Amino acid sequence: HGWSEALAGIKSPHVKYICPHAPVMPVSLNMNMAMPSWFDIIGLSPDSQEDEAGIKQAAENVKALIDQEVKNGIPSHRIILGGFSQGGALSLYTALTTQQKLAGVVALSCWLPLRASFPQGPISGVNKEIAVLQCHGDCDPLVPLMFGSLTVEKLKSMINPANVTFRTYSGMMHSSCIEEMMDVKQFIDKHLPPV
């Protein structure tokens, strides 16, 4: 629900927006308290152990959503994945591992999960030319800007670097701002023009 409001302000009439809820599960970082989460978070440092099974299962769930839209008549190359924080991480991972050709990814205040599982150098999948808009606040205390910077460098080595855009927002913490939402709108309108 949180993002449906933000998206309402930038919606284009010819685009369908789907905001899935993450399931509620115990999260290690949150003292195992249950909260909405796409996968378990064990730690927030670059060398923290990652929930590989959970990340892969969450990606399968997103791929099933894409399949459903394709069945509804929307070609996958007219679909953009997007998310904030863990949702953005999941969007990047899914786009880089799916066999479905996508229009793009909007990755807000996030990182690339299971980055060591990707090959060094360019990926060979259907999305090696995918457009990525990655955005990050320069005062993010939860997912440091450094994670965003490292992620964008890794992305540029895996997909066409000309298709990767990295925007930072001065003073923004682990949140969003009007300027960022306008950049997201511009990206969506560019990559999903009316047909």
Side-chain angles (χ1 to χ4, degrees):
H1 290 303
W3 285 93
S4 57
E5 233 172 271
L7 290 170
I10 64 163
K11 275 188 172 180
S12 299
H14 67 282
V15 177
K16 175 181 179 182
Y17 297 79
I18 299 171
C19 300
H21 286 295
V24 173
M25 64 174 70
V27 174
S28 300
L29 191 68
N30 198 21
M31 298 178 300
N32 273 338
M33 292 192 8
M35 60 185 277
S37 189
W38 290 108
F39 47 85
D40 193 18
I41 301 271
I42 296 143
L44 284 179
S45 72
D47 55 357
S48 292
Q49 186 189 339
E50 292 183 276
D51 174 16
E52 185 172 353
I55 292 163
K56 288 179 172 173
Q57 183 53 59
E60 290 307 315
N61 296 347
V62 174
K63 291 171 191 175
L65 285 174
I66 296 168
D67 284 336
Q68 190 55 54
E69 291 312 304
V70 171
K71 280 193 190 98
N72 292 341
I74 298 171
S76 70
H77 67 84
R78 294 273 303 164
I79 295 175
I80 290 177
L81 294 184
F84 172 78
S85 193
Q86 199 186 33
L90 176 58
S91 296
L92 281 175
Y93 181 81
T94 304
L96 294 172
T97 58
T98 185
Q99 294 314 305
Q100 301 150 313
K101 186 163 175 55
L102 300 169
V105 182
V106 173
L108 309 178
S109 305
C110 68
W111 67 97
L112 177 62
L114 305 179
R115 67 191 180 287
S117 69
F118 291 99
Q120 291 302 313
I123 60 167
S124 59
V126 290
N127 288 314
K128 61 180 180 280
E129 293 290 328
I130 196 167
V132 176
L133 173 63
Q134 197 187 328
C135 303
H136 220 107
D138 67 1
C139 294
D140 191 328
L142 205 61
V143 181
L145 178 59
M146 180 192 77
F147 288 15
S149 303
L150 291 170
T151 296
V152 83
E153 290 317 310
K154 177 76 175 163
L155 287 174
K156 284 180 172 180
S157 75
M158 294 168 66
I159 61 176
N160 184 342
N163 296 346
V164 180
T165 304
F166 187 46
R167 296 240 188 285
T168 58
Y169 305 89
S170 176
M172 189 171 87
M173 297 177 74
H174 195 63
S175 62
S176 186
C177 65
I178 300 290
E179 190 190 346
E180 179 183 62
M181 292 314 289
M182 287 297 114
D183 287 340
V184 170
K185 177 179 175 48
Q186 210 176 3
F187 180 84
I188 293 171
D189 290 346
K190 177 182 175 183
H191 295 285
L192 295 179
V195 281

